[in-house]
Amino acid sequence: MRLATMLCLFLLTAVPPLHATVIDHLEPANWWIGMKRNRVELMVHGEGIAAATPKLQRAGVAIVDVQKTENPNYLFVTVEVAADAKPGAFDIEFVEGGKVVAKHPWRLDARAPGSAQRRGFDKRDAIYLITPDRFANADPRNDSAAGMKEAANRSDPNGRHGGDIAGIRKHLDYIAGLGFTQMWITPVLENNQPGFSYHGYAITDLYGTDPRFGSNDDYRALSKEARARGVGLIMDVVLNHIGSEHWWMKDLPSADWINNGGKFTPDNHRRTTIQDPHAAPGDRKGFLEGWFAEAMPDLNQRNPHLATYLIQNSLWWIEYAGLSGIREDTFGYSDTDFLSVWAKAVMDEYAGFAMVGEEWSANPAIVAHWQHGKANPDGHVPYMTSMMDFPVHIALRDALVRPEGWDGGWTPLYEALANDFLYPDPDDLVVFAENHDTTRALAQVNGDVGLWKLAMAYVATVRGIPQFYYGSEVLIEGPHERKDGELRADMPGGWVGDQANAFTGAGLSAAQRDAQDYVRKLFQWRKRTPVLHTGKLQHFAPVDGVYVYFRYDGKKTVMVALNRNPQASTLAMDRFSDFAKPGDRANDVLAGKAVTLGTSLALPAKSATILELD
């Protein structure tokens, strides 16, 4: 009897008792039938879950692989979806010792018709960039949210001001009315950080919209409603880092999930090390593995489970929200091989999709490295359809303020465009005068509206895909030195009680109304002018403060003359006889009148003259 009792006590202490396990996270929560990527790896997180065996009973769905890491709180379960599977919800069970210790719902959905054939943004489009916290607050009830560490404080330039998805939805007609056909919205995913959470780049939930912006359903509704107005939605994706309050940081899936052992090590920002044949390996590592900030842990995409997670996350959002494009943040900072695999996976799934990467360099050779079709000496094969044209952006801003001289005035811009031979397809680059990370173009030119108009005209008429930053159409100027919270100013009229309203025009000054009309006329005209989308470009060396180029396609010709001089200029036309001759008739796009060309052309001071030639 005593022996039997001792044996029972031994068995109770030697074998852990079975207990119910709580599944804290299972991502992604669903997938779609008919995807080329029909195998999806589920990240399952729950205390002790690695001791359990996942099982499911659903026709057309099978578990084909299960992997563990050194953390017993994670399982990576690969599910294969057959082409003949049916939509619907079912449970995935987790079994231990012959008993179900946990279960979690999962779902298969039918794809939207034509999903795989969707059109991404391209040179026919013009992009309106929005910082959602600063655009419009249509639902004050979500300005602060339970469980979110930072509450709204509109008086703080670096705090949350309350702009939301509802505010963008409310003003879609305004955006479309300006002539824009795409919206790039800075990240709206959860940023449950104690401060500076408004900008969205320290993500704490890669599958969940921040409740202070709205819900996943709200984001999807925004995409659908925008599409109905001819406006696509471009999602801002962050592959390089997460927020320090992401739930992973409390229980890392594996020891190598975060670079530098999960400890803050500042990035050296030496982006040239990726291609530099002379770069020290330590410098290259310092660029790829360093952290942007202590609040932004740097992800190690060399970990195969993390790489798969990030790829699936991008595909999930494209399919779920009906996206027309991705803007990828801090592009070159992620693992180089991973970037190729990630972009290829997206383009394999959606052949007509578009993605633009941020590579903040004045050197076009550095930027061109990442565009699809580039033959790189280091063997890297890129799949990005587009890149942000920072070389032209930097040259444009320089050209507007640099004094005249043999290497001054428009010369930096003229020579920057001459570097197009480095790109596989320069027509697919995104051109811009400003964005959410730069001072405003109006601040760059010290409030000179004439020079600002020149910048807008250039972006709208040069080769590439133009991107415009919200609020500039009503002359938001912002600080002259980069102060992010101030340059990302509130859109006038986006909040109840605002004295001026960009959306209705109430309270705007004459200068603001004129600027808004200028942008509307420019981009509505661009929208209906195919030669600006697909036409060739020929430019002429700037002379005496005037830069001239032509867009042409054999059917239509557009002449653009940019005069940055503080006085009117007379442009001799003999240099341009291949495109325009005395007696030719033209339409002055901005003045809205017909003109007959002579031997010279009068150019008003600090202005763009745009002529459609008959």
Side-chain angles (χ1 to χ4, degrees), residues 471-544:
S472 285
E473 68 270 28
V474 288
L475 301 179
I476 291 179
E477 183 171 347
H480 288 207
E481 296 180 357
R482 182 176 169 181
K483 297 178 182 178
D484 289 349
E486 295 178 33
L487 70 91
R488 302 162 183 168
D490 292 349
M491 183 72 156
W495 280 254
V496 174
D498 285 357
Q499 292 184 353
N501 192 319
F503 305 113
T504 66
L508 296 181
S509 68
Q512 287 177 307
R513 290 195 298 273
D514 175 69
Q516 195 176 49
D517 288 343
Y518 185 85
V519 170
R520 184 181 295 110
K521 181 179 294 185
L522 196 56
F523 284 96
Q524 282 287 3
W525 167 72
R526 186 191 188 278
K527 181 178 177 181
R528 62 178 183 268
T529 307
V531 69
L532 296 178
H533 311 157
T534 57
K536 296 179 181 180
L537 184 148
Q538 185 174 129
H539 64 166
F540 292 77
V543 176
D544 297 332

Side-chain angles (χ1 to χ4, degrees), residues 291-303:
W291 295 24
F292 248 71
E294 194 165 1
M296 295 178 175
D298 201 73
L299 295 172
N300 174 24
Q301 300 89 8
R302 295 179 301 280
N303 179 294

Side-chain angles (χ1 to χ4, degrees), residues 105-432:
W106 204 65
R107 196 180 73 250
L108 278 178
D109 291 328
R111 301 182 77 180
S115 176
Q117 293 78 37
R118 72 185 64 215
R119 177 179 87 83
F121 65 86
D122 59 28
K123 38 194 167 280
R124 292 170 287 179
D125 291 303
I127 302 168
Y128 192 75
L129 167 59
I130 296 171
T131 301
D133 182 66
R134 307 300 170 86
F135 187 67
N137 183 0
D139 187 1
R141 296 171 301 176
N142 65 13
D143 290 0
S144 301
M148 295 293 104
K149 294 179 172 63
E150 186 178 17
N153 181 5
R154 195 182 177 197
S155 65
D156 179 3
N158 297 312
R160 298 193 73 97
H161 290 192
D164 47 32
I165 292 171
I168 302 173
R169 291 171 68 181
K170 182 178 179 180
H171 299 298
L172 287 172
D173 287 335
Y174 170 81
I175 296 167
L178 288 174
F180 295 100
T181 56
Q182 299 284 339
M183 290 186 303
W184 157 24
I185 299 172
T186 56
V188 295
L189 297 184
E190 182 193 273
N191 271 236
N192 197 9
Q193 298 286 118
F196 298 94
S197 67
Y198 77 93
H199 59 65
Y201 289 97
I203 297 170
T204 56
D205 183 351
L206 287 158
Y207 279 100
T209 300
D210 195 298
R212 293 162 293 188
F213 287 136
S215 66
N216 282 8
D217 286 343
D218 293 331
Y219 186 69
R220 182 162 56 178
L222 167 67
S223 178
K224 182 179 180 181
E225 292 167 12
R227 194 161 55 250
R229 292 165 172 81
V231 178
L233 180 60
I234 300 170
M235 186 175 194
D236 206 331
V237 168
V238 186
L239 302 173
N240 179 66
H241 53 266
I242 54 173
S244 56
E245 296 299 316
H246 192 291
W247 59 267
W248 283 338
M249 298 304 294
K250 299 176 178 62
D251 191 21
L252 288 175
S254 63
D256 66 346
W257 203 257
I258 302 294
N259 280 321
N260 290 299
K263 296 180 180 179
F264 172 57
T265 305
D267 200 289
N268 64 18
H269 302 291
R270 300 304 177 197
R271 64 191 72 249
T272 57
T273 58
I274 298 300
Q275 302 174 58
D276 181 359
H278 314 295
D283 290 339
R284 188 177 294 115
K285 181 178 179 181
F287 172 63
L288 291 173
E289 299 184 17
W291 295 24
F292 248 71
E294 194 165 1
M296 295 178 175
D298 201 73
L299 295 172
N300 174 24
Q301 300 89 8
R302 295 179 301 280
N303 179 294
H305 296 301
L306 176 56
T308 298
Y309 182 98
L310 293 172
I311 291 168
Q312 291 176 172
N313 183 254
S314 295
L315 295 174
W316 190 92
W317 278 109
I318 295 168
E319 194 72 22
Y320 173 83
L323 302 178
S324 66
I326 282 175
R327 179 266 182 180
E328 208 289 305
D329 181 66
T330 56
F331 189 80
Y333 288 81
S334 294
D335 179 76
T336 305
D337 291 338
F338 163 76
L339 289 172
S340 182
V341 173
W342 168 79
K344 184 178 187 301
V346 172
M347 297 309 298
D348 282 349
E349 194 72 55
Y350 306 98
F353 198 63
M355 297 190 290
V356 56
E358 177 198 34
E359 178 62 284
W360 196 331
S361 174
N363 186 343
I366 299 299
V367 178
H369 176 83
W370 302 110
Q371 192 182 25
H372 180 56
K374 182 68 172 178
N376 289 304
D378 64 0
H380 175 73
V381 180
Y383 290 92
M384 296 296 288
T385 60
S386 179
M387 296 296 293
M388 302 299 300
D389 195 344
F390 274 96
V392 161
H393 157 77
I394 293 166
L396 171 61
R397 290 165 70 95
D398 189 19
L400 291 169
V401 297
R402 181 183 285 199
E404 284 297 321
W406 70 271
D407 64 345
W410 291 113
T411 303
L413 187 60
Y414 171 75
E415 294 187 346
L417 203 64
N419 288 316
D420 275 3
F421 68 90
L422 292 167
Y423 297 101
D425 192 350
D427 290 341
D428 274 339
L429 299 175
V430 172
V431 291
F432 59 105

Side-chain angles (χ1 to χ4, degrees), residues 22-62:
V22 175
I23 304 298
D24 296 313
H25 304 92
L26 193 153
E27 297 175 338
N30 70 290
W31 205 245
W32 289 268
I33 300 164
M35 299 278 282
K36 289 184 179 179
R37 195 180 189 91
N38 70 328
R39 287 192 172 195
V40 55
E41 184 178 81
L42 309 181
M43 173 188 278
V44 185
H45 176 231
E47 185 177 358
I49 194 63
T53 300
K55 293 185 177 181
L56 61 83
Q57 293 183 349
R58 178 76 176 190
V61 187

